[in-house]
Amino acid sequence: MGRKLLLENAHIENIRLYDVYRQNGGYAAVEKAFKMAPADIVEEVKKSGLRGRGGAGFPTGMKWSFLAKPEGVPRYLVCNADESEPGTFKDRYLMEFIPHLLIEGLIVSSFALGSNRTYIYIRGEYAWIVDILEQAIAEAKAAGFLGKNILNTGFDCEIYVQRGAGAYICGEETALLESLEGKRGNPRIKPPFPAVKGLYGCPTVVNNVETLAAIVPIMNIGGEEYAKIGVGRSTGTKLISACGNINKPGIYEIDMTISVEEFIYSDEYCGGIPNGKRLKACIPGGSSVPILPANLLLKTAKGEPRMMTYESLADGGFPTGSMMGSGGFIVMDEDQCVVRHTMSLARFYRHESCGQCSPCREGTGWMEKILTNIENGRGKMSDIDLLWDIQSKIEGNTICPLGDAAAWPVAAAIRHFRDEFEWHVTNPDEALQRNFGLAHYADPIEVAATP
Amino acid sequence: MAEEKKLLKVTIDNITVEVEPGTTILMAARKIGGDIVPPTMCYYSKLQNTGGYCRTCLVRVAAGSTADPRPMPKLVASCRTAVMDGMIVENITNPAVLEARKGVVEFLLLNHPLDCPVCDQAGECDLQDLSYEHGAEATRYEFKRRTFERIDIGPYIQLHMTRCILCYRCVHTANQVAGNREHGVLDRGDHAQIATYIQKSLESPMIGNVIDVCPVGALTDRTFRFKNRVWFTKPVDAHRDCPHCKGKVRLWMRGDDVLRVTARKDQFGEVEEWICNECRFEKKQVSDWVIEGPTRLDRHSVINAGHYEKIEKPQEFLTEVMHGHAARILLDIHAVSDVNMVDLNVINGPATNATFNGNPKAVGTNVTDVKEGKGRNVAGTDSTNPNTP
C-alpha cells in the first residue's frame, strides 16, 4: 500500500466543505507557510524535488526560482485547470472532491511567489466545478485565509476562477495566458517565457492543479521528507487516471515505486484486464505520449521491469520508451485496433490545432485524412511512409508542443504497430470485419483461466 | 552620453557579421544578404509582433553563444530568435533545415488552390517564389482542398480565403497601421479563416495596405482585378501631395494608363511607407502624380523580364576577326524578302499570314494598308463609326 498524500482524506464525507476540511488538518500548511519567508518556501519546494504534474515534468522549484522579480510590477500565479488531455481526469477529481486542497496550495504558492492576484483557469466543460471552487474560495475568505491581510502578515491575496471556452490548446501555458487576457487562445512565441513576461506582460508562473495541490503535503511534512517518497528524481506521489480495458478504472495515487505490471494487474490498482483478455498496448501518460506495445510496456528494452516513474517510463527514449506525461493511463486489450485509435487521436489534434503555424495546421488535417483512408480500407502502402514523413516534419517545427503531441502518437503507432497498418492496407475487407489482434507484442504474462 | 553599444558577433552559414543587441537572426542574415537570407512568409519587419507562424525561416542554431555553446535542441524561427554573442547559425549549409523548409512549403501549399494562372498576385507572389525555390515538384496530397467563397470586404478589397496561408500580417496591419481592426481570424485549425464579423466591410482609410502585405493573392485590389498581369505592367515611382499619407507610391502602368497604385517595396518585398486608400484606389490618372522615374526591381524577376532598363550593346568583334577589314554586306535581305517589306511597327497587333499575302479582309494588317499609312486602328474605327459601310 503506497503512501497517500493528496487523496489521504478524500474518502471523508463532505471533505468538500471548509469545516470538515479544517477539522481534518486543513489549512495547516498555510499557517506554517506564513511563518516562513517566501524564499524559504521556494527552497522547500526545490528540496522536495516536485516535478510539474501537467505533462512536461519540469521541476517546480526551479520554475519558481526563474520568476523575475522586478520592482513595482505585479507577479501572477495562474493555476492551469484546463485539463483537456484525452485520458486524463485527475484534476477534475481533485477539484471536485477536495477543492480546499487546491485553494490551500494556491494560497501557499501565492505567498511564496508574491502573487496578490491568482487565477484558476478552468476548462469550459468543467462548469459545475466552477461553482464548487467559488464556494470553496468564499469559505476560505470567510475564514480569513484569503482577502486582505491574511493571518495578520500583511499579505493580500485574491483567487479568481476563470472559465475557458473549451479549447485543448488553452492548456498550453502561453495560450492559456492569452485566453485569460481575453484574447484568442493562440500560443505565444517563446522567448520571452511567462516567468519574465506572462499575464498582462508581468512575470507569471503557470502550474498544474496537481502540482499546486502537492505544495500542501510538502509544507506539512517538509521538502526533504517528501523527497524520500519515490525513486530518484521521481519524488512524491502522482495521481494516475487509469482508464480503458481494466477492471477498475479511476484515480490512483501512486508513490512511484511500483512497476507498471503491478499497477495494471494488482487488485489494489487497476485490477487486471477484464473478460480474460490480454494486454495489447498502453498509453501511459495521456493521449500525446507515445503508445507502447505490451512487451515494451512491462519490460524496458534492456529487460528490466518498467516502473511507474518519470525516468523508467521514458527509458529507451522514443524508440522503445514513452513518457509519464499527465498521468492519463489508457490501457488497450487485444480487441482494440491501433489504427482506429490513432485515427481518433489524429482527428482530435486536427480539431484542436489553433491554426497559427503551418506544419500543425495543415499537417494534422492531412494525417487525419490518410489515417481515415487506411482505417476504412482505402489506404495504400505508400501512405504509411507518407504518414511517417508528415509527422517527422511537424515534430519540433511548431510554436507550441501541440504539434509534437499530434506527431508522437502517430509516430509511435507506426513504429511499434507497422504490421497492423500494413495488414489494414493489404486486407481492407477483413480489416473492416475484425481486428488485427495481438500479434507478437502481446504481454508475456499468461492470463488466468476465466472462472 | 555617447555610450558605445557592444556589437554581437554572429556567424550565419560561415559568414560572420556584427549586429546590435536585440537583432534577430533573420535581420542579421539580411544584413549579410544573398542566398543565406531565410525566406519569410509571415514576418514583416515593418510591423511589430509578426513572425513565427509560417515556419519557413527555420534555422538551426549550432552554438547558442560564446558563454553557452550548446546547440539549440530544435530548429528555431529565425525571425523571432534574438542573436547572442558568438552564436553560430546554419541555414542553407544544413540539410536538415532545408528538409524542414521543404516540409513547411508542402504544408503551405497543401490547401492552396495553385490557381496562379488566374491569380492577380502571380508574378509578385511570395508563395510562388518560395515554392519555386524550396518546394517539391508535385504534391503528395490526394484529398479535396479546403475552399471558401470569395467575399468583397469593402468597396476596394476582395478576400479570397482559399488562397490564404494565415500569416496574420493583415491582422497586424489593421491593428498597427489602419488603427481600426474590423477583421480577424475566426475558427481554428485548418478551418481557420480571415473574416469580418458578419460580412462587415473594411472602412479604415489606411486599410488598403493589407493588400500590399498579403504574401499571396488572398487580399486583392478590386480596382485592379483582372486588369492585367503584373509582368506586363511597368512600375514607375511617383509621388503626390497627399493630406493623409506621405504619398510616395509606385504606379503600375501599361502605356499611359495607371492600372494600379501600390506602396513602394524594398528588396525583401516589404512596404517602405504606408499609403492611404485615396492614393491607392482613387488616383488612377497620370496627371494626379509626379513621376519620378522607372522603378528598379531586383527581386521579382518575372516583372523585370519585360523591361529593358539597362541595354548594353554587344561588343563588335567583326573588325577584329576580319583582321582590321570592315564588314561587307553580302546580301541585303530586304531586297529579296517580302517579310521585311512590311513595317511591323505600324501593324495593329501581331502579324498574321494575311499581313503578308495581301488579303483584303485583314484590314489594318494588310500590306497595302500599311504602306498607305492607314494601318492603325482601322478595325476599331469600323466598329464604332456607324457611317462606315
Side-chain angles (χ1 to χ4, degrees):
Chain A
M1 186 78 186
R3 185 164 177 185
K4 286 203 164 115
L5 294 174
L6 297 173
L7 304 184
E8 206 178 354
N9 297 329
H11 61 281
I12 298 170
E13 207 178 331
N14 285 332
I15 191 75
R16 189 186 282 172
L17 301 175
Y18 171 80
D19 294 335
V20 182
Y21 183 74
R22 182 81 172 133
Q23 277 159 22
N24 288 283
Y27 289 96
V30 177
E31 286 166 338
K32 191 177 171 189
F34 275 51
K35 288 178 192 135
M36 297 164 72
D40 293 340
I41 303 176
V42 176
E43 203 53 43
E44 202 70 24
V45 174
K46 263 191 185 170
K47 265 190 236 164
S48 75
L50 174 68
R51 291 171 70 173
R53 303 297 198 223
F58 192 79
T60 308
M62 192 115 76
K63 191 176 195 171
W64 284 13
S65 61
F66 286 158
L67 182 71
K69 295 189 171 90
E71 279 297 309
V73 177
R75 299 189 286 274
Y76 293 105
L77 171 67
V78 178
C79 170
N80 184 347
D82 193 82
E83 179 184 51
S84 320
E85 183 96 345
T88 312
F89 41 89
K90 59 187 176 64
D91 298 345
R92 166 179 162 177
Y93 185 87
L94 268 182
M95 291 186 290
E96 192 172 351
F97 293 101
I98 10 179
H100 280 287
L101 189 68
L102 173 64
I103 305 297
E104 189 179 356
L106 275 171
I107 297 168
V108 175
S109 312
S110 303
F111 179 67
L113 297 168
S115 161
N116 300 116
R117 255 184 245 149
T118 296
Y119 294 91
I120 301 173
Y121 185 90
I122 189 163
R123 92 183 262 213
E125 288 88 337
Y126 287 175
W128 76 99
I129 299 181
V130 177
D131 299 337
I132 295 172
L133 285 174
E134 277 179 344
Q135 193 198 338
I137 290 167
E139 284 172 347
K141 205 169 178 179
F145 287 110
L146 274 175
K148 296 235 175 265
N149 196 11
I150 301 167
L151 302 178
N152 295 318
T153 50
F155 178 71
D156 306 337
C157 183
E158 290 287 347
I159 298 179
Y160 300 97
V161 184
Q162 174 62 48
R163 265 181 79 184
Y168 175 69
I169 190 65
C170 289
E172 200 275 342
E173 58 177 0
T174 52
L176 185 152
L177 295 178
E178 285 280 299
S179 177
L180 198 51
E181 286 178 14
K183 300 178 193 153
R184 184 184 159 83
N186 279 357
R188 294 177 187 166
I189 292 152
K190 288 172 268 187
F193 288 92
V196 180
K197 222 174 157 191
L199 187 63
Y200 305 113
C202 303
T204 306
V205 166
V206 184
N207 274 135
N208 180 259
V209 171
E210 193 191 337
T211 316
L212 290 164
I215 302 297
V216 176
I218 288 173
M219 290 316 296
N220 283 336
I221 67 174
E224 279 172 19
E225 185 67 21
Y226 188 86
K228 283 179 193 158
I229 308 166
V231 179
R233 288 183 61 227
S234 303
T235 60
T237 60
K238 172 91 184 83
L239 294 184
I240 303 286
S241 38
C243 60
N245 301 114
I246 43 176
N247 275 321
K248 298 193 314 184
I251 312 280
Y252 294 100
E253 184 168 8
I254 58 161
D255 56 5
M256 300 209 250
T257 52
I258 60 167
S259 67
V260 176
E261 187 184 324
E262 188 189 344
F263 184 72
I264 295 178
Y265 289 102
S266 82
D267 283 336
E268 190 188 332
Y269 299 107
C270 301
I273 316 286
N275 305 326
K277 303 276 183 187
R278 296 184 72 189
L279 176 67
K280 179 181 186 179
C282 173
I283 303 171
S287 68
S288 312
V289 310
I291 185 172
L292 280 181
N295 50 3
L296 278 174
L297 177 75
L298 301 176
K299 287 218 171 17
T300 63
K302 296 175 204 150
E304 297 160 0
R306 206 181 277 280
M307 310 296 288
M308 293 289 282
T309 64
Y310 283 95
E311 286 78 25
S312 184
L313 281 173
D315 188 82
F318 279 0
T320 60
S322 185
M323 279 166 78
M324 171 67 99
S326 58
F329 199 82
I330 307 169
V331 182
M332 291 188 246
D333 72 7
E334 57 190 281
D335 286 347
Q336 303 304 316
C337 172
V338 171
V339 178
R340 186 172 187 78
H341 156 80
T342 314
M343 177 195 82
S344 158
L345 281 186
R347 185 194 296 149
F348 173 78
Y349 287 110
R350 182 244 173 134
H351 183 251
E352 296 294 346
S353 168
C354 76
Q356 200 178 202
C357 55
S358 37
C360 176
R361 177 183 68 230
E362 310 289 354
T364 49
W366 195 5
M367 289 200 300
E368 189 221 333
K369 284 175 184 150
I370 294 173
L371 281 163
T372 310
N373 267 2
I374 296 178
E375 165 64 20
N376 292 327
R378 296 191 299 269
K380 296 196 293 282
M381 217 42 123
S382 61
D383 283 349
I384 301 169
D385 291 323
L386 181 58
L387 269 179
W388 184 265
D389 196 46
I390 298 169
Q391 71 79 19
S392 71
K393 279 172 176 161
I394 299 175
E395 191 212 332
N397 292 343
T398 53
I399 295 174
C400 79
L402 194 140
D404 301 342
W408 291 341
V410 176
I414 296 176
R415 188 185 289 125
H416 299 304
F417 300 92
R418 195 179 173 110
D419 48 352
E420 190 164 343
F421 279 84
E422 287 175 357
W423 179 77
H424 267 260
V425 172
T426 50
N427 304 351
D429 296 331
E430 205 182 344
L432 290 174
Q433 306 289 330
R434 69 176 187 93
N435 283 318
F436 185 64
L438 273 179
H440 64 277
Y441 27 76
D443 64 322
I445 296 159
E446 281 303 314
V447 182
T450 35
Chain B
M1 42 168 281
E3 195 183 319
E4 201 172 310
K5 265 190 186 168
K6 194 178 174 290
L7 291 179
L8 306 178
K9 256 190 193 154
V10 55
T11 307
I12 304 171
D13 284 345
N14 304 323
I15 305 168
T16 305
V17 68
E18 287 195 336
V19 294
E20 287 188 2
T23 314
T24 57
I25 297 174
L26 181 77
M27 293 314 278
R30 283 188 179 180
K31 200 174 171 190
I32 298 170
D35 288 343
I36 66 145
V37 183
T40 54
M41 295 302 290
C42 64
Y43 176 75
Y44 213 75
S45 63
K46 309 295 188 295
L47 296 168
Q48 287 169 357
N49 294 327
T50 55
Y53 305 141
C54 70
R55 317 307 282 180
T56 53
C57 68
L58 289 174
V59 292
R60 194 182 120 78
V61 177
S65 64
T66 318
D68 181 13
R70 288 177 302 169
M72 290 193 185
K74 291 177 181 179
L75 302 181
V76 298
S78 59
C79 60
R80 293 293 284 257
T81 310
V83 298
M84 308 284 276
D85 197 27
M87 188 183 259
I88 298 172
V89 181
E90 294 168 353
N91 181 17
I92 55 173
T93 51
N94 191 325
V97 171
L98 295 179
E99 187 62 24
R101 193 166 290 155
K102 199 174 164 188
V104 171
V105 175
E106 187 172 23
F107 288 134
L108 284 175
L109 292 174
L110 213 60
N111 276 314
H112 192 78
L114 291 173
D115 58 349
C116 308
V118 294
C119 176
D120 272 334
Q121 189 85 0
E124 53 176 18
C125 174
D126 291 353
L127 191 58
Q128 252 183 346
D129 296 349
L130 184 76
S131 54
Y132 187 75
E133 283 161 26
H134 299 282
E137 60 278 357
T139 180
R140 297 180 288 175
Y141 190 67
E142 295 169 341
F143 305 94
K144 215 174 159 224
R145 285 156 202 266
R146 138 208 99 138
T147 50
F148 293 90
E149 291 289 311
R150 283 194 295 271
I151 315 166
D152 290 335
I153 43 174
Y156 298 123
I157 305 169
Q158 189 174 73
L159 169 66
H160 195 4
M161 191 50 218
T162 311
R163 292 173 185 154
C164 178
I165 59 163
L166 286 165
C167 68
Y168 284 65
R169 275 183 188 174
C170 59
V171 178
H172 289 293
T173 308
N175 269 338
Q176 294 167 28
V177 179
N180 179 19
R181 181 154 72 86
E182 292 148 319
H183 73 289
V185 179
L186 299 186
D187 296 337
R188 67 180 180 212
D190 56 1
H191 43 284
Q193 56 169 319
I194 300 284
T196 54
Y197 184 62
I198 317 184
Q199 308 255 325
K200 268 175 77 173
S201 66
L202 308 188
E203 303 283 354
S204 162
M206 295 291 275
I207 199 67
N209 289 302
V210 296
I211 299 167
D212 278 346
V213 300
C214 185
V216 293
L219 291 163
T220 45
D221 185 342
R222 284 182 71 194
T223 62
F224 179 62
R225 270 180 74 76
F226 304 136
K227 284 264 181 74
N228 221 312
R229 308 308 316 231
V230 285
W231 54 88
F232 290 139
T233 58
K234 291 195 177 183
V236 173
D237 281 352
H239 66 265
R240 70 182 267 268
D241 204 8
C242 176
H244 312 298
C245 64
K246 293 198 175 159
K248 289 184 177 172
V249 301
R250 186 160 294 166
L251 308 179
W252 298 78
M253 304 181 65
R254 179 109 196 234
D256 292 339
D257 301 331
V258 176
L259 294 180
R260 180 171 74 139
V261 183
T262 67
R264 293 182 196 175
K265 293 187 180 180
D266 62 14
Q267 56 164 323
F268 301 108
E270 293 182 358
V271 168
E272 284 169 1
E273 292 195 50
W274 308 107
I275 61 167
C276 65
N277 281 7
E278 190 184 325
C279 288
R280 183 186 301 271
F281 299 118
E282 282 158 23
K283 302 292 175 190
K284 294 285 178 87
Q285 300 296 323
V286 180
S287 55
D288 293 330
W289 298 97
V290 180
I291 307 278
E292 292 171 13
T295 306
R296 284 265 162 78
L297 295 168
D298 53 5
R299 184 160 172 268
H300 295 101
S301 55
V302 181
I303 300 174
N304 269 345
H307 304 153
Y308 310 104
E309 287 177 5
K310 291 180 280 185
I311 297 174
E312 283 182 23
K313 263 191 151 180
Q315 204 184 336
E316 199 67 71
F317 283 110
L318 207 54
T319 324
E320 200 181 315
V321 173
M322 300 273 287
H323 305 288
H325 296 288
R328 193 157 49 94
I329 291 172
L330 296 175
L331 175 68
D332 183 4
I333 191 83
H334 297 278
V336 294
S337 167
D338 270 350
V339 173
N340 294 293
M341 298 293 283
V342 181
D343 184 0
L344 293 173
N345 287 327
V346 295
I347 298 173
N348 183 26
T352 61
N353 269 350
T355 316
F356 304 106
N357 60 21
N359 184 351
K361 282 183 180 171
V363 185
T365 54
N366 197 294
V367 178
T368 44
D369 282 352
V370 172
K371 279 182 178 165
E372 284 161 28
K374 49 181 180 177
R376 266 188 109 74
N377 289 333
V378 176
T381 320
D382 275 355
S383 59
T384 48
N385 187 356
N387 297 330
T388 309

